[in-house]
Amino acid sequence: MSASAPPCRGRKPLEQAQIDARRAQVLEAAADCFRRSGFHSASMAAISKAAGMSTGHIYHYFENKEAIIAALVERDSDELNDVLNSFRAQSDFLQAMIDGVDEGLARANRQDRAALKMEILAEAARNPKIASMLRDADRRALDGFCSSLRAAYAARGADDACDLEAKVVLVGALFNGLIGRTVFSPTRDCPALAKTMRRAIAAILSDDDGAATAAVPR
Amino acid sequence: MSASAPPCRGRKPLEQAQIDARRAQVLEAAADCFRRSGFHSASMAAISKAAGMSTGHIYHYFENKEAIIAALVERDSDELNDVLNSFRAQSDFLQAMIDGVDEGLARANRQDRAALKMEILAEAARNPKIASMLRDADRRALDGFCSSLRAAYAARGADDACDLEAKVVLVGALFNGLIGRTVFSPTRDCPALAKTMRRAIAAILSDDDGAATAAVPR
Amino acid sequence: MSASAPPCRGRKPLEQAQIDARRAQVLEAAADCFRRSGFHSASMAAISKAAGMSTGHIYHYFENKEAIIAALVERDSDELNDVLNSFRAQSDFLQAMIDGVDEGLARANRQDRAALKMEILAEAARNPKIASMLRDADRRALDGFCSSLRAAYAARGADDACDLEAKVVLVGALFNGLIGRTVFSPTRDCPALAKTMRRAIAAILSDDDGAATAAVPR
Amino acid sequence: MSASAPPCRGRKPLEQAQIDARRAQVLEAAADCFRRSGFHSASMAAISKAAGMSTGHIYHYFENKEAIIAALVERDSDELNDVLNSFRAQSDFLQAMIDGVDEGLARANRQDRAALKMEILAEAARNPKIASMLRDADRRALDGFCSSLRAAYAARGADDACDLEAKVVLVGALFNGLIGRTVFSPTRDCPALAKTMRRAIAAILSDDDGAATAAVPR
DNA sequence: GATGAATGAGTTTTCATTCAT
DNA sequence: TATGAATGAAAACTCATTCAT
């Protein structure tokens, strides 16, 4: 009400920054609700309450509930790109991936993130639009990792590594599989896990695909 | 479908076998609906229609919707045990795990199974009862794999392998991570993936935790 | 079907006595259920369980749920007649009514009877058929009491008492009002109540309607 | 009906008065439905239709159906207090009670009130929450009448009347018993009843508990 | 006579969405 | 911009009743 007092700038439409802030505010609230109740059991009333605004007003920022879900999925998908970029910023991309294990595990182990991730995957299984978003984000991340990896192998003088995409997919799967566990059984901090994980990643990324590797260990 | 009960309205007290068949019939229908729409968007009306019986009648076999979900989760949780047993039936447990990769990938890649799995994990994130069921099943499977693995290592004359549980968890994560991908991007049949997967599993299960392994692949 | 088997006493239709016994069995069970849950919240399933027979079978003895209710109302309505007859069996009808206070209070104070009575009255308010049954029973009881009272007054040499029906109605109201209390607040055994009650009934039944009686006591 | 709120869809935050009016509107509609069909057979759809609003909207004003019932019971319970207060406003409390007979009979004889009252008593028999509400209201009314009566007796120079509560209970029972009759047989206006009623009440409230009173009327 | 599986309409309640203010 | 009252179409679940056996 009195909040609409003009800053001398008249009754101009809220600047884009304002709008973005509001959207972020809703998104944050929605993420909380969705984590707790899932996409479909979280009511718009609950979201609006958590966001500190009226139900009706949310519809100024999002066309409907599905749009909120989509925006959240988008936001979540961006995160992997951040990780990619942080690896790229380091001198040795390969080593960065292995060194990133500890932080990766810590992320995988956060209940709230895990819950939302599972919610998103479940939604993707039934909502083609969401599936498509995930597919695109996945494509981008895969390409990014592959190109950086290719460069890393080259710098190391290795042959152009074969089956790069399969490698990246598997490293990703390792983390995502752990995220899945988190929802029912958060892993306590575990050095053994990190160590074994590093070894697994190293094995996946290594390029010597000698026949022996498929044999039983020792 | 596979229901051996004729669709006629039998009235003599159903024998247990009959009852079980009916329950399975409902479960099958429910799984279908849940895959398509998720636990909470699939209506009892849809399930009953798919099961070929009236809404009301479903409640003769399941106390409520949640009970159907729980039964499905139970059924799904049993599957890993079947895998464990099939490995145990083979002469070399370690090799069996590695040889099982192809079949495992095939399983992981089935859309319908993946969708239901994600639905279950998402539900676990918000429903403590479901989480607890998963936790129990996970515990049982983990214990089973660990004890068989321990025996396998001993037979091979290896030291008592350290961090066994971490190893098993990671191998599981690898598959579950791939299942997660399946919902948005089913992997076409891919020999490279299988090969890399075998190498990864071998590396995880191998017991030489030399410091070198944590280093970047040559 | 086979019920039409001819005599020889073999598969004869159940004797009337049998049928009556079954009906009574159902009625007893239904009364219990109705007391606990009311006419409309008590399910046929609950009644059949309490009666120790299948739901379907109840419909051999009663056309439908309403018929059970009606039969119960009928049964309940007969009770007042029993009281009337017990009074008539005594030498002094008037005195019998006053002496009956203690037993009457005891009856009025039984939770189960009170609950059913209120259920019946509530039902009568919405179900004309039940209302009509109550009206008829009430008419019969009223007439019975009035005629016995008239005889009693005559024997006592009193004038033909005026407003007999009003008197009887009021005595009845006294008891029924107490029954109403019982559902929320069963009166502990209370000599004061009985004493006051006797005085009230005596006053009601006494015929000297001197102007003074309408005045304030003392 | 008496709702002062125009049927237009106002959207500014309703003031308390508005809210109260809406609640009253729902209550009025519900009372009508309950009288006709009873608490459990009256559907929320019927109530909302009678109240002129959508089913969903009723839940803005009442948490659920039981809350509506409870509110109605509360409202009904308040009425006896009004009667008490009107008696207290008169110069002679005892006389007021006796003079109040005509109005009391008129009240007792209204079909709609009687139906609702029986519904409430029946509900109390199975719903402890309602029973408790009735118990509390009864307690308050009893205490109120007793204290006023005690004062009246004292003013009159009578001994402290004994068994006051029993007296009040019986006077109440007299009226409530008549209300019970009303549902199946509304008493036509009847001077004889009123006269006898006054005599009964006078007898109940009078304090001379001579042994003679328990004897048969001359 | 006796059973209880089966039906499907009906119940209460929730919720995304709209829109007058 | 912001509100929240209002809608009405589901949803899960219950239940009287039927009827093949």
Side-chain angles (χ1 to χ4, degrees):
Chain A
M1 327 233 147
S2 62
S4 55
C8 196
R9 291 289 177 53
R11 270 301 233 88
K12 213 195 293 187
L14 239 27
E15 344 255 328
Q16 190 56 39
Q18 263 277 33
I19 293 183
D20 289 349
R22 288 283 202 214
R23 285 177 59 101
Q25 178 184 354
V26 173
L27 245 33
E28 208 48 65
D32 254 11
C33 294
F34 289 155
R35 280 193 266 264
R36 269 195 297 276
S37 327
F39 286 154
H40 296 293
S41 298
S43 70
M44 289 297 280
I47 294 172
S48 65
K49 191 172 181 178
M53 72 180 69
S54 70
T55 26
H57 201 37
I58 289 192
Y59 286 81
H60 279 262
Y61 300 108
F62 294 94
E63 189 175 348
N64 52 30
K65 201 178 171 183
E66 203 193 350
I68 301 181
I69 295 177
L72 259 181
V73 171
E74 187 103 58
R75 201 182 71 163
D76 187 87
S77 297
D78 288 343
E79 291 197 356
L80 191 50
N81 243 302
D82 296 344
V83 173
L84 171 61
N85 287 332
S86 87
F87 287 173
R88 281 175 166 166
Q90 296 177 45
S91 59
D92 185 338
F93 191 84
L94 271 167
Q95 189 64 49
M97 281 184 73
I98 291 174
D99 291 346
V101 158
D102 291 293
E103 200 188 343
L105 284 178
R107 292 165 72 89
N109 216 25
R110 282 174 45 198
Q111 282 268 22
D112 55 344
R113 301 188 75 252
L116 199 49
K117 179 72 99 184
M118 290 306 112
E119 203 57 54
I120 289 172
L121 286 174
E123 182 67 14
R126 37 189 140 98
N127 185 336
K129 198 168 134 191
I130 300 298
S132 160
M133 291 177 65
L134 291 194
R135 199 153 36 239
D136 291 348
D138 182 68
R139 188 71 268 154
R140 277 194 304 275
L142 237 47
D143 288 346
F145 272 95
C146 283
S147 82
S148 284
L149 266 183
R150 205 179 328 270
Y153 283 127
R156 207 170 280 264
D159 306 343
D160 197 46
C162 55
D163 307 321
L164 224 87
E165 196 164 305
K167 292 177 198 291
V168 176
V169 162
L170 278 190
V171 173
L174 221 31
F175 283 102
N176 285 327
L178 289 174
I179 291 180
R181 287 186 63 82
T182 297
V183 298
F184 62 84
S185 166
T187 326
R188 63 265 133 230
D189 182 46
C190 174
L193 195 70
K195 194 187 65 178
T196 313
M197 190 104 177
R198 270 189 294 269
R199 194 162 64 216
I201 294 178
I204 291 170
L205 295 182
S206 86
D207 206 24
D208 49 281
D209 49 343
T213 53
V216 169
R218 184 59 32 89
Chain B
M1 330 223 145
S2 63
S4 51
C8 86
R9 295 130 119 258
R11 295 301 158 84
K12 267 292 151 55
L14 250 32
E15 304 129 51
Q16 191 56 41
Q18 279 271 28
I19 292 182
D20 289 348
R22 287 273 200 244
R23 285 178 59 101
Q25 177 184 355
V26 173
L27 243 33
E28 208 48 67
D32 255 10
C33 294
F34 288 157
R35 279 193 267 266
R36 265 197 298 277
S37 328
F39 286 153
H40 296 296
S41 299
S43 72
M44 289 298 282
I47 294 172
S48 66
K49 193 171 186 177
M53 71 180 67
S54 69
T55 28
H57 198 35
I58 289 194
Y59 288 84
H60 280 260
Y61 299 107
F62 294 93
E63 193 174 346
N64 53 31
K65 198 179 174 182
E66 202 191 353
I68 300 182
I69 295 177
L72 265 179
V73 171
E74 187 104 58
R75 202 181 68 163
D76 186 87
S77 297
D78 287 343
E79 292 197 355
L80 190 50
N81 240 303
D82 296 343
V83 173
L84 170 62
N85 287 332
S86 87
F87 286 172
R88 281 173 166 166
Q90 298 176 45
S91 59
D92 184 337
F93 191 83
L94 270 167
Q95 190 64 48
M97 280 184 73
I98 291 173
D99 292 347
V101 159
D102 291 294
E103 201 188 341
L105 284 180
R107 290 166 74 89
N109 216 25
R110 280 174 46 199
Q111 281 269 20
D112 56 345
R113 304 188 71 253
L116 198 48
K117 179 71 99 183
M118 289 306 113
E119 203 56 53
I120 289 173
L121 286 174
E123 183 67 13
R126 38 190 140 94
N127 186 336
K129 199 168 135 192
I130 300 299
S132 161
M133 290 178 66
L134 292 194
R135 199 153 36 239
D136 292 349
D138 182 68
R139 185 73 267 153
R140 279 193 302 276
L142 237 46
D143 288 346
F145 272 94
C146 283
S147 83
S148 285
L149 267 183
R150 208 182 324 273
Y153 284 125
R156 208 169 281 262
D159 308 342
D160 198 48
C162 55
D163 307 323
L164 219 57
E165 197 164 305
K167 292 177 201 290
V168 176
V169 162
L170 278 190
V171 174
L174 221 30
F175 283 103
N176 285 326
L178 288 174
I179 291 180
R181 285 186 65 80
T182 297
V183 298
F184 61 85
S185 165
T187 326
R188 63 268 130 224
D189 179 47
C190 174
L193 195 70
K195 193 188 64 182
T196 312
M197 191 106 178
R198 271 190 292 269
R199 196 163 61 215
I201 295 179
I204 291 170
L205 296 182
S206 85
D207 207 24
D208 50 283
D209 48 342
T213 53
V216 168
R218 173 112 328 264
Chain C
M1 331 219 148
S2 63
S4 53
C8 192
R9 298 290 173 63
R11 273 296 234 90
K12 213 197 295 189
L14 238 26
E15 344 254 330
Q16 190 56 38
Q18 264 276 35
I19 292 183
D20 289 349
R22 288 283 204 217
R23 286 177 58 99
Q25 178 184 353
V26 172
L27 245 32
E28 208 48 65
D32 254 11
C33 293
F34 289 156
R35 280 192 265 265
R36 267 196 298 276
S37 326
F39 287 154
H40 295 294
S41 299
S43 70
M44 290 297 281
I47 294 171
S48 66
K49 191 172 183 180
M53 72 180 68
S54 68
T55 26
H57 202 36
I58 288 191
Y59 287 81
H60 279 264
Y61 300 107
F62 293 95
E63 190 176 347
N64 52 29
K65 200 177 172 185
E66 203 193 350
I68 301 182
I69 294 176
L72 259 181
V73 172
E74 187 104 56
R75 199 182 71 161
D76 187 88
S77 296
D78 287 343
E79 291 197 356
L80 190 50
N81 242 303
D82 296 343
V83 173
L84 170 61
N85 286 332
S86 88
F87 287 172
R88 281 173 166 166
Q90 296 177 46
S91 61
D92 185 336
F93 191 84
L94 270 167
Q95 189 65 49
M97 281 184 72
I98 290 173
D99 291 346
V101 158
D102 291 293
E103 201 187 343
L105 284 180
R107 291 168 72 89
N109 217 24
R110 282 175 45 200
Q111 281 268 23
D112 56 345
R113 303 187 73 254
L116 200 49
K117 179 71 100 183
M118 290 305 115
E119 203 57 54
I120 289 173
L121 286 174
E123 182 68 13
R126 39 189 139 96
N127 185 336
K129 197 170 136 192
I130 300 297
S132 160
M133 290 178 66
L134 292 194
R135 199 154 34 238
D136 291 349
D138 181 69
R139 185 71 269 152
R140 277 193 303 275
L142 236 46
D143 288 346
F145 271 95
C146 282
S147 83
S148 284
L149 266 182
R150 206 179 328 268
Y153 283 126
R156 207 169 280 263
D159 308 342
D160 197 48
C162 55
D163 307 319
L164 220 61
E165 195 164 306
K167 291 176 199 291
V168 176
V169 162
L170 278 191
V171 174
L174 221 30
F175 283 104
N176 285 325
L178 288 175
I179 291 181
R181 286 187 62 83
T182 297
V183 298
F184 62 85
S185 167
T187 328
R188 64 268 129 225
D189 181 46
C190 175
L193 194 70
K195 194 188 63 181
T196 313
M197 189 104 178
R198 270 189 294 271
R199 194 162 62 215
I201 294 179
I204 291 170
L205 295 181
S206 84
D207 205 28
D208 50 281
D209 48 343
T213 52
V216 170
R218 180 63 35 87
Chain D
M1 332 228 141
S2 62
S4 51
C8 84
R9 293 131 120 258
R11 295 299 158 85
K12 267 292 153 51
L14 248 34
E15 303 128 51
Q16 191 55 41
Q18 279 271 29
I19 292 182
D20 289 349
R22 287 276 200 239
R23 286 178 59 103
Q25 179 185 354
V26 172
L27 243 34
E28 208 49 66
D32 255 11
C33 294
F34 289 156
R35 278 192 267 264
R36 264 196 300 277
S37 328
F39 285 154
H40 295 295
S41 298
S43 71
M44 288 299 280
I47 295 172
S48 65
K49 193 169 185 178
M53 71 180 69
S54 69
T55 28
H57 199 35
I58 288 194
Y59 288 82
H60 280 261
Y61 299 108
F62 293 93
E63 191 174 347
N64 52 31
K65 198 178 174 183
E66 203 192 352
I68 300 181
I69 295 177
L72 265 179
V73 172
E74 187 103 60
R75 201 181 69 163
D76 188 89
S77 295
D78 286 344
E79 292 196 357
L80 189 50
N81 239 302
D82 296 343
V83 172
L84 170 62
N85 286 331
S86 87
F87 287 172
R88 281 174 166 166
Q90 297 176 45
S91 59
D92 185 337
F93 190 85
L94 272 166
Q95 190 64 48
M97 281 184 72
I98 290 172
D99 291 347
V101 158
D102 292 294
E103 201 188 343
L105 284 180
R107 291 166 72 91
N109 217 24
R110 280 174 47 198
Q111 281 269 21
D112 56 344
R113 303 187 73 253
L116 198 49
K117 179 72 99 184
M118 289 307 113
E119 202 57 52
I120 289 174
L121 285 174
E123 181 67 14
R126 37 189 140 96
N127 185 336
K129 198 169 134 191
I130 300 299
S132 162
M133 290 179 65
L134 291 194
R135 200 153 35 239
D136 291 348
D138 182 68
R139 186 71 269 153
R140 278 194 301 276
L142 237 46
D143 288 347
F145 272 95
C146 282
S147 83
S148 284
L149 267 181
R150 206 178 329 268
Y153 284 126
R156 209 170 282 261
D159 306 343
D160 199 48
C162 56
D163 308 321
L164 220 65
E165 196 163 307
K167 292 176 200 290
V168 175
V169 162
L170 279 190
V171 173
L174 221 31
F175 284 102
N176 286 325
L178 288 175
I179 291 180
R181 286 186 64 81
T182 297
V183 298
F184 62 84
S185 166
T187 327
R188 64 265 131 228
D189 179 48
C190 174
L193 194 69
K195 193 188 63 180
T196 314
M197 190 104 178
R198 269 190 293 270
R199 196 162 62 215
I201 295 178
I204 292 170
L205 295 182
S206 85
D207 206 27
D208 49 282
D209 48 340
T213 53
V216 168
R218 170 110 329 261

